[in-house]
Short mmCIF file of all heavy atoms in Angstrom, two decimals:
data_model
loop_
_atom_site.label_atom_id
_atom_site.label_comp_id
_atom_site.label_asym_id
_atom_site.label_seq_id
_atom_site.Cartn_x
_atom_site.Cartn_y
_atom_site.Cartn_z
N SER A 173 -42.37 133.13 -13.37
CA SER A 173 -42.21 132.74 -11.83
C SER A 173 -41.80 131.20 -11.83
O SER A 173 -42.61 130.39 -12.22
CB SER A 173 -43.43 132.94 -10.95
OG SER A 173 -43.31 132.10 -9.81
N MET A 174 -40.56 130.93 -11.37
CA MET A 174 -40.11 129.50 -11.30
C MET A 174 -40.92 128.76 -10.18
O MET A 174 -41.00 127.57 -10.29
CB MET A 174 -38.60 129.52 -11.00
CG MET A 174 -37.79 130.03 -12.15
SD MET A 174 -36.11 130.39 -11.80
CE MET A 174 -35.52 128.85 -11.23
N ASN A 175 -41.48 129.45 -9.26
CA ASN A 175 -42.22 128.82 -8.18
C ASN A 175 -43.55 128.32 -8.86
O ASN A 175 -44.17 127.31 -8.31
CB ASN A 175 -42.64 129.81 -7.12
CG ASN A 175 -41.40 130.40 -6.47
OD1 ASN A 175 -40.78 131.22 -7.11
ND2 ASN A 175 -41.05 129.98 -5.26
N HIS A 176 -44.05 129.05 -9.76
CA HIS A 176 -45.37 128.73 -10.36
C HIS A 176 -45.28 127.86 -11.63
O HIS A 176 -46.23 127.16 -11.99
CB HIS A 176 -46.21 130.00 -10.66
CG HIS A 176 -46.49 130.80 -9.41
ND1 HIS A 176 -45.48 131.51 -8.78
CD2 HIS A 176 -47.64 130.98 -8.76
CE1 HIS A 176 -46.13 132.02 -7.69
NE2 HIS A 176 -47.38 131.79 -7.68
N ASP A 177 -44.20 127.93 -12.38
CA ASP A 177 -44.02 127.30 -13.62
C ASP A 177 -44.17 125.77 -13.51
O ASP A 177 -43.61 125.14 -12.69
CB ASP A 177 -42.60 127.61 -14.19
CG ASP A 177 -42.57 127.34 -15.70
OD1 ASP A 177 -43.63 127.37 -16.30
OD2 ASP A 177 -41.37 127.23 -16.25
N GLY A 178 -45.07 125.16 -14.40
CA GLY A 178 -45.28 123.79 -14.37
C GLY A 178 -46.18 123.24 -13.27
O GLY A 178 -46.59 122.04 -13.30
N VAL A 179 -46.60 124.13 -12.31
CA VAL A 179 -47.47 123.66 -11.25
C VAL A 179 -48.98 123.67 -11.55
O VAL A 179 -49.71 122.94 -10.98
CB VAL A 179 -47.18 124.57 -9.98
CG1 VAL A 179 -48.00 124.02 -8.78
CG2 VAL A 179 -45.59 124.49 -9.59
N LYS A 180 -49.23 124.66 -12.48
CA LYS A 180 -50.68 124.74 -13.02
C LYS A 180 -51.67 125.12 -11.95
O LYS A 180 -52.81 124.70 -12.00
CB LYS A 180 -51.05 123.40 -13.74
CG LYS A 180 -50.23 123.04 -14.94
CD LYS A 180 -50.89 122.03 -15.73
CE LYS A 180 -50.15 121.87 -17.08
NZ LYS A 180 -50.93 120.87 -17.94
N HIS A 181 -51.18 125.95 -10.99
CA HIS A 181 -52.12 126.47 -9.94
C HIS A 181 -52.25 127.99 -10.04
O HIS A 181 -52.44 128.57 -9.06
CB HIS A 181 -51.68 125.98 -8.65
CG HIS A 181 -52.21 124.59 -8.32
ND1 HIS A 181 -51.54 123.88 -7.49
CD2 HIS A 181 -53.30 124.08 -8.64
CE1 HIS A 181 -52.28 122.62 -7.36
NE2 HIS A 181 -53.37 122.80 -8.10
N GLY A 182 -52.09 128.55 -11.22
CA GLY A 182 -52.18 129.99 -11.39
C GLY A 182 -50.85 130.74 -11.46
O GLY A 182 -49.83 130.12 -11.13
N PHE A 183 -50.94 131.96 -11.90
CA PHE A 183 -49.73 132.81 -12.09
C PHE A 183 -49.25 133.47 -10.81
O PHE A 183 -50.05 133.44 -9.91
CB PHE A 183 -50.01 133.92 -13.16
CG PHE A 183 -50.24 133.37 -14.58
CD1 PHE A 183 -51.52 132.97 -14.98
CD2 PHE A 183 -49.20 133.29 -15.44
CE1 PHE A 183 -51.78 132.45 -16.24
CE2 PHE A 183 -49.55 132.85 -16.77
CZ PHE A 183 -50.72 132.45 -17.19
N ALA A 184 -48.12 134.05 -10.82
CA ALA A 184 -47.62 134.78 -9.61
C ALA A 184 -48.24 136.20 -9.56
O ALA A 184 -47.58 137.19 -9.82
CB ALA A 184 -46.11 134.87 -9.72
N ASN A 185 -49.54 136.23 -9.34
CA ASN A 185 -50.24 137.54 -9.40
C ASN A 185 -49.78 138.65 -8.48
O ASN A 185 -49.80 139.81 -8.97
CB ASN A 185 -51.75 137.24 -9.20
CG ASN A 185 -52.33 136.39 -10.34
OD1 ASN A 185 -51.88 136.49 -11.51
ND2 ASN A 185 -53.23 135.48 -9.93
N GLU A 186 -49.28 138.34 -7.32
CA GLU A 186 -48.83 139.47 -6.50
C GLU A 186 -47.59 140.12 -7.02
O GLU A 186 -47.51 141.39 -7.07
CB GLU A 186 -48.47 138.91 -5.09
CG GLU A 186 -49.73 139.01 -4.10
CD GLU A 186 -49.25 138.53 -2.71
OE1 GLU A 186 -48.16 138.92 -2.18
OE2 GLU A 186 -50.00 137.67 -2.25
N ALA A 187 -46.66 139.31 -7.48
CA ALA A 187 -45.41 139.86 -8.00
C ALA A 187 -45.75 140.56 -9.29
O ALA A 187 -45.21 141.69 -9.63
CB ALA A 187 -44.39 138.81 -8.20
N LEU A 188 -46.65 139.98 -10.11
CA LEU A 188 -46.97 140.60 -11.36
C LEU A 188 -47.64 141.98 -11.19
O LEU A 188 -47.29 142.88 -11.93
CB LEU A 188 -47.98 139.65 -12.13
CG LEU A 188 -47.30 138.49 -12.88
CD1 LEU A 188 -48.26 137.39 -13.18
CD2 LEU A 188 -46.61 139.00 -14.12
N ALA A 189 -48.50 142.04 -10.26
CA ALA A 189 -49.16 143.35 -10.01
C ALA A 189 -48.15 144.41 -9.54
O ALA A 189 -48.27 145.54 -9.94
CB ALA A 189 -50.30 143.16 -9.01
N ARG A 190 -47.20 143.90 -8.77
CA ARG A 190 -46.19 144.91 -8.32
C ARG A 190 -45.40 145.42 -9.48
O ARG A 190 -45.14 146.54 -9.61
CB ARG A 190 -45.26 144.20 -7.31
CG ARG A 190 -44.55 145.13 -6.40
CD ARG A 190 -43.77 144.36 -5.29
NE ARG A 190 -42.57 145.01 -5.03
CZ ARG A 190 -41.57 144.49 -4.27
NH1 ARG A 190 -41.80 143.34 -3.81
NH2 ARG A 190 -40.49 145.12 -4.11
N LEU A 191 -45.01 144.47 -10.46
CA LEU A 191 -44.27 144.88 -11.62
C LEU A 191 -45.14 145.83 -12.41
O LEU A 191 -44.65 146.87 -12.93
CB LEU A 191 -43.97 143.64 -12.50
CG LEU A 191 -42.83 142.79 -11.95
CD1 LEU A 191 -42.71 141.45 -12.81
CD2 LEU A 191 -41.50 143.41 -12.03
#
Side-chain angles (χ1 to χ4, degrees):
Chain A
S173 162
M174 294 165 59
N175 304 72
H176 296 73
D177 199 22
V179 182
K180 296 194 171 186
H181 274 149
F183 294 85
N185 294 325
E186 268 180 49
L188 281 160
R190 201 172 145 193
L191 286 171

